Amino acid sequence: MAGPSWHRTRPVSARTNERFTSHQEVGVPVTTVDETCRNAGVGQVDFLKIDVEGAELAVLEGASETIAAHSPALLLEIEDRHVGKYGLRATDLVDYLTSRGYRMYVWKNREWTETDRVTVAVRNYLFSVALDRSRSKIPALAGQWAG
């Protein structure tokens, strides 16, 4: 349940990826994080890694109940070139999460450092409601996927 199957809306730009000479649309069943957690009886969500080539906001909206109930740490790959396909900017994702109490971090010098903006030099960002290194293994584990 990852990648393009999560897309609920069409990208603003549906052009063929530069790596391929053509494309073919394929229908796939789509669900949300909230629906998946409900159906599977998931009791706790501590961490979500979201990398869906620009459709991150759609995934976050489909995880809104889970995020509100559990405040999981979120590791997102954010690039303007991808979110732009959906008529968004990187700041739209940041604003969505910071308005829900999340703070944004980048992996720098082998630790998470708070930041307030997305840059072209970094693609992966950790969002956490409270980054307490003394009590949580998640930030250290998330560093494995940051670089």
Side-chain angles (χ1 to χ4, degrees):
M1 293 184 291
S5 62
W6 282 106
H7 295 196
R8 295 183 146 225
T9 58
R10 290 187 163 284
V12 173
S13 169
R15 73 180 193 278
T16 300
N17 186 308
E18 293 81 23
R19 292 182 295 176
F20 305 100
T21 58
S22 65
H23 70 271
Q24 178 180 357
E25 291 192 25
V26 178
V28 295
V30 176
T31 189
T32 65
V33 172
D34 290 339
E35 190 175 328
T36 300
C37 288
R38 254 191 316 277
N39 292 343
V42 174
Q44 180 64 36
V45 176
D46 296 316
F47 181 77
L48 292 172
K49 166 70 167 107
I50 304 170
D51 179 357
V52 289
E53 303 304 308
E56 285 76 12
L57 187 58
V59 174
L60 291 169
E61 289 171 342
S64 61
E65 295 172 18
T66 302
I67 290 169
H70 304 286
S71 300
L74 307 167
L75 186 63
L76 276 69
E77 180 174 343
I78 304 174
E79 292 185 72
D80 271 319
R81 69 186 177 117
H82 291 309
V83 296
K85 293 184 289 189
Y86 294 89
L88 300 170
R89 297 171 321 204
T91 55
D92 295 324
L93 293 173
V94 175
D95 292 346
Y96 181 88
L97 289 168
T98 57
S99 72
R100 286 157 177 76
Y102 278 84
R103 293 163 71 174
M104 183 169 63
Y105 301 85
V106 294
W107 187 250
K108 185 176 180 181
N109 299 324
R110 302 181 56 82
E111 69 178 6
W112 291 105
T113 304
E114 191 165 1
T115 187
D116 61 355
R117 63 190 165 103
V118 172
T119 68
V120 295
V122 176
R123 290 190 291 198
N124 291 297
Y125 297 86
L126 177 70
F127 291 84
S128 178
V129 172
L131 184 57
D132 182 348
R133 290 178 182 85
S134 66
R135 295 184 354 202
S136 177
K137 294 179 183 177
I138 293 169
L141 292 173
Q144 297 175 40
W145 296 288

